[in-house]
PDB file of all heavy atoms in Angstrom:
ATOM      1  N   VAL A   1     106.588 -62.862-179.463  1.00 95.00           N
ATOM      2  CA  VAL A   1     107.679 -63.299-178.586  1.00 95.00           C
ATOM      3  C   VAL A   1     107.627 -62.570-177.252  1.00 95.00           C
ATOM      4  O   VAL A   1     107.792 -63.173-176.185  1.00 95.00           O
ATOM      5  CB  VAL A   1     109.045 -63.063-179.261  1.00 95.00           C
ATOM      6  CG1 VAL A   1     110.178 -63.313-178.268  1.00 95.00           C
ATOM      7  CG2 VAL A   1     109.199 -63.983-180.471  1.00 95.00           C
ATOM      8  N   GLU A   2     107.365 -61.249-177.297  1.00 96.00           N
ATOM      9  CA  GLU A   2     107.436 -60.433-176.091  1.00 96.00           C
ATOM     10  C   GLU A   2     106.198 -60.545-175.205  1.00 96.00           C
ATOM     11  O   GLU A   2     106.291 -60.341-173.994  1.00 96.00           O
ATOM     12  CB  GLU A   2     107.642 -58.953-176.475  1.00 96.00           C
ATOM     13  CG  GLU A   2     108.870 -58.686-177.320  1.00 96.00           C
ATOM     14  CD  GLU A   2     110.159 -59.081-176.615  1.00 96.00           C
ATOM     15  OE1 GLU A   2     110.174 -59.172-175.380  1.00 96.00           O
ATOM     16  OE2 GLU A   2     111.167 -59.305-177.321  1.00 96.00           O
ATOM     17  N   THR A   3     105.033 -60.855-175.788  1.00 96.00           N
ATOM     18  CA  THR A   3     103.789 -60.823-174.992  1.00 96.00           C
ATOM     19  C   THR A   3     103.061 -62.163-174.908  1.00 96.00           C
ATOM     20  O   THR A   3     102.032 -62.254-174.248  1.00 96.00           O
ATOM     21  CB  THR A   3     102.818 -59.777-175.562  1.00 96.00           C
ATOM     22  OG1 THR A   3     102.383 -60.195-176.870  1.00 96.00           O
ATOM     23  CG2 THR A   3     103.481 -58.412-175.656  1.00 96.00           C
ATOM     24  N   GLY A   4     103.586 -63.190-175.588  1.00 95.00           N
ATOM     25  CA  GLY A   4     102.890 -64.475-175.589  1.00 95.00           C
ATOM     26  C   GLY A   4     102.711 -65.066-174.201  1.00 95.00           C
ATOM     27  O   GLY A   4     101.769 -65.825-173.956  1.00 95.00           O
ATOM     28  N   TRP A   5     103.586 -64.722-173.258  1.00 96.00           N
ATOM     29  CA  TRP A   5     103.538 -65.301-171.910  1.00 96.00           C
ATOM     30  C   TRP A   5     102.203 -65.060-171.212  1.00 96.00           C
ATOM     31  O   TRP A   5     101.744 -65.885-170.427  1.00 96.00           O
ATOM     32  CB  TRP A   5     104.679 -64.732-171.059  1.00 96.00           C
ATOM     33  CG  TRP A   5     104.571 -63.256-170.813  1.00 96.00           C
ATOM     34  CD1 TRP A   5     105.160 -62.258-171.520  1.00 96.00           C
ATOM     35  CD2 TRP A   5     103.818 -62.609-169.780  1.00 96.00           C
ATOM     36  NE1 TRP A   5     104.826 -61.025-171.022  1.00 96.00           N
ATOM     37  CE2 TRP A   5     103.994 -61.218-169.934  1.00 96.00           C
ATOM     38  CE3 TRP A   5     102.995 -63.062-168.751  1.00 96.00           C
ATOM     39  CZ2 TRP A   5     103.392 -60.279-169.099  1.00 96.00           C
ATOM     40  CZ3 TRP A   5     102.395 -62.129-167.913  1.00 96.00           C
ATOM     41  CH2 TRP A   5     102.586 -60.760-168.087  1.00 96.00           C
ATOM     42  N   LYS A   6     101.565 -63.884-171.481  1.00 95.00           N
ATOM     43  CA  LYS A   6     100.319 -63.572-170.768  1.00 95.00           C
ATOM     44  C   LYS A   6      99.180 -64.511-171.170  1.00 95.00           C
ATOM     45  O   LYS A   6      98.191 -64.650-170.435  1.00 95.00           O
ATOM     46  CB  LYS A   6      99.909 -62.114-170.995  1.00 95.00           C
ATOM     47  CG  LYS A   6      99.191 -61.820-172.292  1.00 95.00           C
ATOM     48  CD  LYS A   6      98.816 -60.364-172.379  1.00 95.00           C
ATOM     49  CE  LYS A   6      98.028 -60.066-173.640  1.00 95.00           C
ATOM     50  NZ  LYS A   6      96.687 -60.675-173.647  1.00 95.00           N
ATOM     51  N   ASP A   7      99.322 -65.171-172.315  1.00 94.00           N
ATOM     52  CA  ASP A   7      98.333 -66.157-172.763  1.00 94.00           C
ATOM     53  C   ASP A   7      98.821 -67.578-172.529  1.00 94.00           C
ATOM     54  O   ASP A   7      98.275 -68.534-173.081  1.00 94.00           O
ATOM     55  CB  ASP A   7      98.029 -65.952-174.256  1.00 94.00           C
ATOM     56  CG  ASP A   7      97.451 -64.569-174.534  1.00 94.00           C
ATOM     57  OD1 ASP A   7      96.566 -64.141-173.778  1.00 94.00           O
ATOM     58  OD2 ASP A   7      97.915 -63.920-175.489  1.00 94.00           O
ATOM     59  N   GLY A   8      99.877 -67.713-171.714  1.00 92.00           N
ATOM     60  CA  GLY A   8     100.393 -69.037-171.383  1.00 92.00           C
ATOM     61  C   GLY A   8     101.296 -69.622-172.442  1.00 92.00           C
ATOM     62  O   GLY A   8     101.570 -70.831-172.427  1.00 92.00           O
ATOM     63  N   LYS A   9     101.780 -68.803-173.387  1.00 94.00           N
ATOM     64  CA  LYS A   9     102.631 -69.306-174.464  1.00 94.00           C
ATOM     65  C   LYS A   9     104.093 -68.934-174.234  1.00 94.00           C
ATOM     66  O   LYS A   9     104.393 -67.894-173.653  1.00 94.00           O
ATOM     67  CB  LYS A   9     102.188 -68.726-175.808  1.00 94.00           C
ATOM     68  CG  LYS A   9     100.767 -69.096-176.220  1.00 94.00           C
ATOM     69  CD  LYS A   9     100.419 -68.436-177.541  1.00 94.00           C
ATOM     70  CE  LYS A   9      98.994 -68.751-177.959  1.00 94.00           C
ATOM     71  NZ  LYS A   9      98.641 -68.081-179.231  1.00 94.00           N
ATOM     72  N   LEU A  10     104.969 -69.784-174.710  1.00 96.00           N
ATOM     73  CA  LEU A  10     106.403 -69.488-174.728  1.00 96.00           C
ATOM     74  C   LEU A  10     106.832 -69.483-176.192  1.00 96.00           C
ATOM     75  O   LEU A  10     106.854 -70.522-176.852  1.00 96.00           O
ATOM     76  CB  LEU A  10     107.181 -70.541-173.942  1.00 96.00           C
ATOM     77  CG  LEU A  10     107.002 -70.511-172.413  1.00 96.00           C
ATOM     78  CD1 LEU A  10     107.627 -71.748-171.784  1.00 96.00           C
ATOM     79  CD2 LEU A  10     107.633 -69.254-171.837  1.00 96.00           C
ATOM     80  N   VAL A  11     107.133 -68.280-176.700  1.00 96.00           N
ATOM     81  CA  VAL A  11     107.467 -68.126-178.113  1.00 96.00           C
ATOM     82  C   VAL A  11     108.932 -67.714-178.236  1.00 96.00           C
ATOM     83  O   VAL A  11     109.363 -66.713-177.656  1.00 96.00           O
ATOM     84  CB  VAL A  11     106.573 -67.065-178.787  1.00 96.00           C
ATOM     85  CG1 VAL A  11     106.896 -66.960-180.279  1.00 96.00           C
ATOM     86  CG2 VAL A  11     105.093 -67.405-178.578  1.00 96.00           C
ATOM     87  N   PHE A  12     109.702 -68.498-178.996  1.00 96.00           N
ATOM     88  CA  PHE A  12     111.116 -68.215-179.221  1.00 96.00           C
ATOM     89  C   PHE A  12     111.374 -68.090-180.716  1.00 96.00           C
ATOM     90  O   PHE A  12     110.954 -68.949-181.498  1.00 96.00           O
ATOM     91  CB  PHE A  12     112.000 -69.329-178.652  1.00 96.00           C
ATOM     92  CG  PHE A  12     111.797 -69.571-177.177  1.00 96.00           C
ATOM     93  CD1 PHE A  12     111.076 -70.678-176.735  1.00 96.00           C
ATOM     94  CD2 PHE A  12     112.319 -68.691-176.234  1.00 96.00           C
ATOM     95  CE1 PHE A  12     110.885 -70.911-175.389  1.00 96.00           C
ATOM     96  CE2 PHE A  12     112.131 -68.919-174.882  1.00 96.00           C
ATOM     97  CZ  PHE A  12     111.407 -70.020-174.450  1.00 96.00           C
ATOM     98  N   ARG A  13     112.035 -67.023-181.124  1.00 95.00           N
ATOM     99  CA  ARG A  13     112.395 -66.822-182.521  1.00 95.00           C
ATOM    100  C   ARG A  13     113.872 -66.429-182.586  1.00 95.00           C
ATOM    101  O   ARG A  13     114.238 -65.297-182.276  1.00 95.00           O
ATOM    102  CB  ARG A  13     111.518 -65.737-183.152  1.00 95.00           C
ATOM    103  CG  ARG A  13     110.045 -66.098-183.257  1.00 95.00           C
ATOM    104  CD  ARG A  13     109.817 -67.248-184.232  1.00 95.00           C
ATOM    105  NE  ARG A  13     108.386 -67.576-184.353  1.00 95.00           N
ATOM    106  CZ  ARG A  13     107.764 -68.489-183.608  1.00 95.00           C
ATOM    107  NH1 ARG A  13     108.451 -69.161-182.680  1.00 95.00           N
ATOM    108  NH2 ARG A  13     106.492 -68.739-183.779  1.00 95.00           N
ATOM    109  N   ARG A  14     114.708 -67.410-182.941  1.00 94.00           N
ATOM    110  CA  ARG A  14     116.160 -67.221-182.995  1.00 94.00           C
ATOM    111  C   ARG A  14     116.666 -66.617-181.677  1.00 94.00           C
ATOM    112  O   ARG A  14     117.480 -65.687-181.661  1.00 94.00           O
ATOM    113  CB  ARG A  14     116.552 -66.329-184.182  1.00 94.00           C
ATOM    114  CG  ARG A  14     116.229 -66.942-185.548  1.00 94.00           C
ATOM    115  CD  ARG A  14     116.726 -66.051-186.673  1.00 94.00           C
ATOM    116  NE  ARG A  14     118.191 -65.909-186.634  1.00 94.00           N
ATOM    117  CZ  ARG A  14     119.041 -66.761-187.187  1.00 94.00           C
ATOM    118  NH1 ARG A  14     118.580 -67.855-187.801  1.00 94.00           N
ATOM    119  NH2 ARG A  14     120.334 -66.560-187.120  1.00 94.00           N
ATOM    120  N   SER A  15     116.163 -67.159-180.597  1.00 94.00           N
ATOM    121  CA  SER A  15     116.550 -66.697-179.260  1.00 94.00           C
ATOM    122  C   SER A  15     117.783 -67.452-178.787  1.00 94.00           C
ATOM    123  O   SER A  15     117.882 -68.668-178.976  1.00 94.00           O
ATOM    124  CB  SER A  15     115.408 -66.921-178.262  1.00 94.00           C
ATOM    125  OG  SER A  15     114.237 -66.243-178.649  1.00 94.00           O
ATOM    126  N   ASP A  16     118.716 -66.729-178.171  1.00 93.00           N
ATOM    127  CA  ASP A  16     119.889 -67.412-177.636  1.00 93.00           C
ATOM    128  C   ASP A  16     119.475 -68.249-176.427  1.00 93.00           C
ATOM    129  O   ASP A  16     118.473 -67.970-175.768  1.00 93.00           O
ATOM    130  CB  ASP A  16     120.980 -66.412-177.268  1.00 93.00           C
ATOM    131  CG  ASP A  16     120.548 -65.438-176.180  1.00 93.00           C
ATOM    132  OD1 ASP A  16     120.453 -65.837-175.016  1.00 93.00           O
ATOM    133  OD2 ASP A  16     120.286 -64.260-176.516  1.00 93.00           O
ATOM    134  N   MET A  17     120.265 -69.271-176.125  1.00 94.00           N
ATOM    135  CA  MET A  17     119.873 -70.229-175.085  1.00 94.00           C
ATOM    136  C   MET A  17     119.813 -69.605-173.692  1.00 94.00           C
ATOM    137  O   MET A  17     119.061 -70.077-172.840  1.00 94.00           O
ATOM    138  CB  MET A  17     120.848 -71.415-175.083  1.00 94.00           C
ATOM    139  CG  MET A  17     120.662 -72.353-176.257  1.00 94.00           C
ATOM    140  SD  MET A  17     118.957 -72.985-176.416  1.00 94.00           S
ATOM    141  CE  MET A  17     118.774 -73.908-174.889  1.00 94.00           C
ATOM    142  N   MET A  18     120.537 -68.532-173.462  1.00 93.00           N
ATOM    143  CA  MET A  18     120.442 -67.856-172.178  1.00 93.00           C
ATOM    144  C   MET A  18     119.037 -67.310-171.967  1.00 93.00           C
ATOM    145  O   MET A  18     118.456 -67.422-170.876  1.00 93.00           O
ATOM    146  CB  MET A  18     121.469 -66.713-172.097  1.00 93.00           C
ATOM    147  CG  MET A  18     122.881 -67.172-171.824  1.00 93.00           C
ATOM    148  SD  MET A  18     123.046 -67.956-170.177  1.00 93.00           S
ATOM    149  CE  MET A  18     122.688 -66.565-169.122  1.00 93.00           C
ATOM    150  N   ASN A  19     118.476 -66.746-173.037  1.00 93.00           N
ATOM    151  CA  ASN A  19     117.112 -66.215-172.952  1.00 93.00           C
ATOM    152  C   ASN A  19     116.099 -67.349-172.830  1.00 93.00           C
ATOM    153  O   ASN A  19     115.121 -67.258-172.070  1.00 93.00           O
ATOM    154  CB  ASN A  19     116.812 -65.359-174.188  1.00 93.00           C
ATOM    155  CG  ASN A  19     115.435 -64.733-174.128  1.00 93.00           C
ATOM    156  OD1 ASN A  19     115.048 -64.152-173.112  1.00 93.00           O
ATOM    157  ND2 ASN A  19     114.686 -64.845-175.205  1.00 93.00           N
ATOM    158  N   VAL A  20     116.318 -68.438-173.570  1.00 95.00           N
ATOM    159  CA  VAL A  20     115.421 -69.592-173.494  1.00 95.00           C
ATOM    160  C   VAL A  20     115.408 -70.167-172.083  1.00 95.00           C
ATOM    161  O   VAL A  20     114.338 -70.425-171.502  1.00 95.00           O
ATOM    162  CB  VAL A  20     115.860 -70.682-174.503  1.00 95.00           C
ATOM    163  CG1 VAL A  20     115.034 -71.952-174.300  1.00 95.00           C
ATOM    164  CG2 VAL A  20     115.707 -70.178-175.937  1.00 95.00           C
ATOM    165  N   VAL A  21     116.580 -70.350-171.517  1.00 94.00           N
ATOM    166  CA  VAL A  21     116.698 -70.912-170.164  1.00 94.00           C
ATOM    167  C   VAL A  21     116.048 -69.994-169.122  1.00 94.00           C
ATOM    168  O   VAL A  21     115.362 -70.447-168.213  1.00 94.00           O
ATOM    169  CB  VAL A  21     118.185 -71.148-169.832  1.00 94.00           C
ATOM    170  CG1 VAL A  21     118.378 -71.333-168.340  1.00 94.00           C
ATOM    171  CG2 VAL A  21     118.706 -72.352-170.589  1.00 94.00           C
ATOM    172  N   LYS A  22     116.265 -68.707-169.267  1.00 93.00           N
ATOM    173  CA  LYS A  22     115.703 -67.734-168.319  1.00 93.00           C
ATOM    174  C   LYS A  22     114.174 -67.798-168.311  1.00 93.00           C
ATOM    175  O   LYS A  22     113.550 -67.826-167.242  1.00 93.00           O
ATOM    176  CB  LYS A  22     116.177 -66.330-168.697  1.00 93.00           C
ATOM    177  CG  LYS A  22     115.612 -65.223-167.817  1.00 93.00           C
ATOM    178  CD  LYS A  22     116.107 -63.861-168.288  1.00 93.00           C
ATOM    179  CE  LYS A  22     115.563 -63.505-169.649  1.00 93.00           C
ATOM    180  NZ  LYS A  22     115.996 -62.162-170.110  1.00 93.00           N
ATOM    181  N   ARG A  23     113.579 -67.844-169.479  1.00 94.00           N
ATOM    182  CA  ARG A  23     112.116 -67.832-169.555  1.00 94.00           C
ATOM    183  C   ARG A  23     111.512 -69.173-169.136  1.00 94.00           C
ATOM    184  O   ARG A  23     110.456 -69.209-168.495  1.00 94.00           O
ATOM    185  CB  ARG A  23     111.693 -67.460-170.978  1.00 94.00           C
ATOM    186  CG  ARG A  23     112.058 -66.005-171.310  1.00 94.00           C
ATOM    187  CD  ARG A  23     111.770 -65.650-172.749  1.00 94.00           C
ATOM    188  NE  ARG A  23     110.343 -65.793-173.046  1.00 94.00           N
ATOM    189  CZ  ARG A  23     109.842 -65.719-174.278  1.00 94.00           C
ATOM    190  NH1 ARG A  23     110.660 -65.548-175.312  1.00 94.00           N
ATOM    191  NH2 ARG A  23     108.559 -65.845-174.487  1.00 94.00           N
ATOM    192  N   LEU A  24     112.189 -70.268-169.482  1.00 95.00           N
ATOM    193  CA  LEU A  24     111.699 -71.576-169.034  1.00 95.00           C
ATOM    194  C   LEU A  24     111.784 -71.693-167.510  1.00 95.00           C
ATOM    195  O   LEU A  24     110.867 -72.215-166.866  1.00 95.00           O
ATOM    196  CB  LEU A  24     112.510 -72.691-169.687  1.00 95.00           C
ATOM    197  CG  LEU A  24     112.253 -72.960-171.174  1.00 95.00           C
ATOM    198  CD1 LEU A  24     113.228 -74.017-171.686  1.00 95.00           C
ATOM    199  CD2 LEU A  24     110.822 -73.409-171.413  1.00 95.00           C
ATOM    200  N   SER A  25     112.874 -71.192-166.943  1.00 94.00           N
ATOM    201  CA  SER A  25     113.050 -71.248-165.491  1.00 94.00           C
ATOM    202  C   SER A  25     111.947 -70.479-164.786  1.00 94.00           C
ATOM    203  O   SER A  25     111.380 -70.933-163.782  1.00 94.00           O
ATOM    204  CB  SER A  25     114.414 -70.668-165.103  1.00 94.00           C
ATOM    205  OG  SER A  25     115.461 -71.435-165.650  1.00 94.00           O
ATOM    206  N   ARG A  26     111.618 -69.297-165.305  1.00 92.00           N
ATOM    207  CA  ARG A  26     110.576 -68.471-164.690  1.00 92.00           C
ATOM    208  C   ARG A  26     109.198 -69.099-164.857  1.00 92.00           C
ATOM    209  O   ARG A  26     108.389 -69.109-163.928  1.00 92.00           O
ATOM    210  CB  ARG A  26     110.611 -67.079-165.313  1.00 92.00           C
ATOM    211  CG  ARG A  26     109.600 -66.099-164.714  1.00 92.00           C
ATOM    212  CD  ARG A  26     109.720 -64.752-165.403  1.00 92.00           C
ATOM    213  NE  ARG A  26     111.051 -64.214-165.249  1.00 92.00           N
ATOM    214  CZ  ARG A  26     111.743 -63.617-166.223  1.00 92.00           C
ATOM    215  NH1 ARG A  26     111.232 -63.534-167.433  1.00 92.00           N
ATOM    216  NH2 ARG A  26     112.943 -63.154-165.992  1.00 92.00           N
ATOM    217  N   HIS A  27     108.937 -69.625-166.037  1.00 93.00           N
ATOM    218  CA  HIS A  27     107.614 -70.172-166.336  1.00 93.00           C
ATOM    219  C   HIS A  27     107.300 -71.408-165.502  1.00 93.00           C
ATOM    220  O   HIS A  27     106.165 -71.595-165.054  1.00 93.00           O
ATOM    221  CB  HIS A  27     107.539 -70.511-167.832  1.00 93.00           C
ATOM    222  CG  HIS A  27     106.173 -70.904-168.298  1.00 93.00           C
ATOM    223  ND1 HIS A  27     105.191 -69.977-168.573  1.00 93.00           N
ATOM    224  CD2 HIS A  27     105.614 -72.130-168.534  1.00 93.00           C
ATOM    225  CE1 HIS A  27     104.093 -70.606-168.956  1.00 93.00           C
ATOM    226  NE2 HIS A  27     104.320 -71.920-168.945  1.00 93.00           N
ATOM    227  N   PHE A  28     108.317 -72.261-165.298  1.00 93.00           N
ATOM    228  CA  PHE A  28     108.085 -73.518-164.584  1.00 93.00           C
ATOM    229  C   PHE A  28     108.648 -73.517-163.165  1.00 93.00           C
ATOM    230  O   PHE A  28     108.579 -74.540-162.468  1.00 93.00           O
ATOM    231  CB  PHE A  28     108.687 -74.681-165.381  1.00 93.00           C
ATOM    232  CG  PHE A  28     107.973 -74.964-166.674  1.00 93.00           C
ATOM    233  CD1 PHE A  28     108.523 -74.568-167.892  1.00 93.00           C
ATOM    234  CD2 PHE A  28     106.744 -75.609-166.679  1.00 93.00           C
ATOM    235  CE1 PHE A  28     107.866 -74.830-169.087  1.00 93.00           C
ATOM    236  CE2 PHE A  28     106.074 -75.876-167.873  1.00 93.00           C
ATOM    237  CZ  PHE A  28     106.636 -75.485-169.077  1.00 93.00           C
ATOM    238  N   ASN A  29     109.204 -72.391-162.749  1.00 91.00           N
ATOM    239  CA  ASN A  29     109.760 -72.266-161.393  1.00 91.00           C
ATOM    240  C   ASN A  29     110.802 -73.361-161.131  1.00 91.00           C
ATOM    241  O   ASN A  29     110.723 -74.113-160.161  1.00 91.00           O
ATOM    242  CB  ASN A  29     108.646 -72.327-160.339  1.00 91.00           C
ATOM    243  CG  ASN A  29     109.161 -71.995-158.948  1.00 91.00           C
ATOM    244  OD1 ASN A  29     110.154 -71.278-158.799  1.00 91.00           O
ATOM    245  ND2 ASN A  29     108.507 -72.516-157.918  1.00 91.00           N
ATOM    246  N   VAL A  30     111.781 -73.436-162.023  1.00 93.00           N
ATOM    247  CA  VAL A  30     112.883 -74.395-161.879  1.00 93.00           C
ATOM    248  C   VAL A  30     114.203 -73.656-162.083  1.00 93.00           C
ATOM    249  O   VAL A  30     114.233 -72.516-162.567  1.00 93.00           O
ATOM    250  CB  VAL A  30     112.778 -75.554-162.894  1.00 93.00           C
ATOM    251  CG1 VAL A  30     111.546 -76.408-162.624  1.00 93.00           C
ATOM    252  CG2 VAL A  30     112.763 -75.014-164.336  1.00 93.00           C
ATOM    253  N   ASN A  31     115.285 -74.300-161.742  1.00 94.00           N
ATOM    254  CA  ASN A  31     116.619 -73.735-161.908  1.00 94.00           C
ATOM    255  C   ASN A  31     117.320 -74.465-163.050  1.00 94.00           C
ATOM    256  O   ASN A  31     117.791 -75.590-162.890  1.00 94.00           O
ATOM    257  CB  ASN A  31     117.407 -73.872-160.604  1.00 94.00           C
ATOM    258  CG  ASN A  31     118.822 -73.339-160.725  1.00 94.00           C
ATOM    259  OD1 ASN A  31     119.146 -72.619-161.664  1.00 94.00           O
ATOM    260  ND2 ASN A  31     119.682 -73.703-159.777  1.00 94.00           N
ATOM    261  N   ILE A  32     117.359 -73.812-164.224  1.00 95.00           N
ATOM    262  CA  ILE A  32     117.980 -74.421-165.397  1.00 95.00           C
ATOM    263  C   ILE A  32     119.334 -73.748-165.638  1.00 95.00           C
ATOM    264  O   ILE A  32     119.414 -72.518-165.708  1.00 95.00           O
ATOM    265  CB  ILE A  32     117.101 -74.295-166.650  1.00 95.00           C
ATOM    266  CG1 ILE A  32     115.711 -74.893-166.384  1.00 95.00           C
ATOM    267  CG2 ILE A  32     117.746 -74.971-167.846  1.00 95.00           C
ATOM    268  CD1 ILE A  32     114.753 -74.775-167.555  1.00 95.00           C
ATOM    269  N   GLN A  33     120.361 -74.536-165.791  1.00 94.00           N
ATOM    270  CA  GLN A  33     121.706 -74.005-165.998  1.00 94.00           C
ATOM    271  C   GLN A  33     122.301 -74.541-167.292  1.00 94.00           C
ATOM    272  O   GLN A  33     121.980 -75.661-167.710  1.00 94.00           O
ATOM    273  CB  GLN A  33     122.610 -74.379-164.812  1.00 94.00           C
ATOM    274  CG  GLN A  33     122.154 -73.795-163.482  1.00 94.00           C
ATOM    275  CD  GLN A  33     123.075 -74.193-162.333  1.00 94.00           C
ATOM    276  OE1 GLN A  33     124.082 -74.883-162.527  1.00 94.00           O
ATOM    277  NE2 GLN A  33     122.732 -73.758-161.130  1.00 94.00           N
ATOM    278  N   LEU A  34     123.143 -73.714-167.908  1.00 94.00           N
ATOM    279  CA  LEU A  34     123.853 -74.115-169.128  1.00 94.00           C
ATOM    280  C   LEU A  34     125.263 -74.552-168.770  1.00 94.00           C
ATOM    281  O   LEU A  34     125.947 -73.895-167.973  1.00 94.00           O
ATOM    282  CB  LEU A  34     123.906 -72.958-170.128  1.00 94.00           C
ATOM    283  CG  LEU A  34     122.565 -72.449-170.669  1.00 94.00           C
ATOM    284  CD1 LEU A  34     122.800 -71.270-171.610  1.00 94.00           C
ATOM    285  CD2 LEU A  34     121.818 -73.557-171.397  1.00 94.00           C
ATOM    286  N   GLU A  35     125.698 -75.633-169.377  1.00 93.00           N
ATOM    287  CA  GLU A  35     127.063 -76.119-169.131  1.00 93.00           C
ATOM    288  C   GLU A  35     127.807 -76.169-170.459  1.00 93.00           C
ATOM    289  O   GLU A  35     127.418 -76.899-171.376  1.00 93.00           O
ATOM    290  CB  GLU A  35     127.023 -77.513-168.497  1.00 93.00           C
ATOM    291  CG  GLU A  35     128.374 -77.991-167.999  1.00 93.00           C
ATOM    292  CD  GLU A  35     128.255 -79.322-167.261  1.00 93.00           C
ATOM    293  OE1 GLU A  35     127.861 -79.312-166.081  1.00 93.00           O
ATOM    294  OE2 GLU A  35     128.533 -80.367-167.880  1.00 93.00           O
ATOM    295  N   GLY A  36     128.855 -75.348-170.565  1.00 88.00           N
ATOM    296  CA  GLY A  36     129.610 -75.297-171.821  1.00 88.00           C
ATOM    297  C   GLY A  36     129.366 -73.979-172.541  1.00 88.00           C
ATOM    298  O   GLY A  36     128.217 -73.624-172.822  1.00 88.00           O
ATOM    299  N   LYS A  37     130.443 -73.220-172.846  1.00 86.00           N
ATOM    300  CA  LYS A  37     130.309 -71.906-173.458  1.00 86.00           C
ATOM    301  C   LYS A  37     129.690 -71.962-174.842  1.00 86.00           C
ATOM    302  O   LYS A  37     129.042 -71.015-175.302  1.00 86.00           O
ATOM    303  CB  LYS A  37     131.700 -71.239-173.533  1.00 86.00           C
ATOM    304  CG  LYS A  37     132.260 -70.872-172.169  1.00 86.00           C
ATOM    305  CD  LYS A  37     133.597 -70.141-172.323  1.00 86.00           C
ATOM    306  CE  LYS A  37     134.145 -69.743-170.958  1.00 86.00           C
ATOM    307  NZ  LYS A  37     135.443 -69.030-171.070  1.00 86.00           N
TER     308      LYS A  37
END
C-alpha cells in the first residue's frame, strides 16, 4: 500500500475515501472532491 506507487500501482486496503481521493488526485493530476459526510 505504501510503496506500490513507485511501480505505477495504486493499492488500497480498507482505506478511507479521503485517502483514496487524495492519491487518485495526485496520480492523475485531477481535483477530486467528496460530497456528503
Side-chain angles (χ1 to χ4, degrees):
V1 171
E2 303 299 338
T3 66
W5 64 265
K6 81 179 183 68
D7 299 315
K9 298 178 182 179
L10 289 170
V11 182
F12 302 104
R13 294 294 181 268
R14 296 184 63 85
S15 301
D16 62 73
M17 287 305 297
M18 282 296 295
N19 182 48
V20 173
V21 163
K22 178 182 66 178
R23 293 175 61 189
L24 287 175
S25 297
R26 182 180 301 137
H27 188 80
F28 292 104
N29 189 26
V30 294
N31 178 15
I32 304 178
Q33 298 180 2
L34 297 178
E35 190 175 280
K37 292 183 179 180

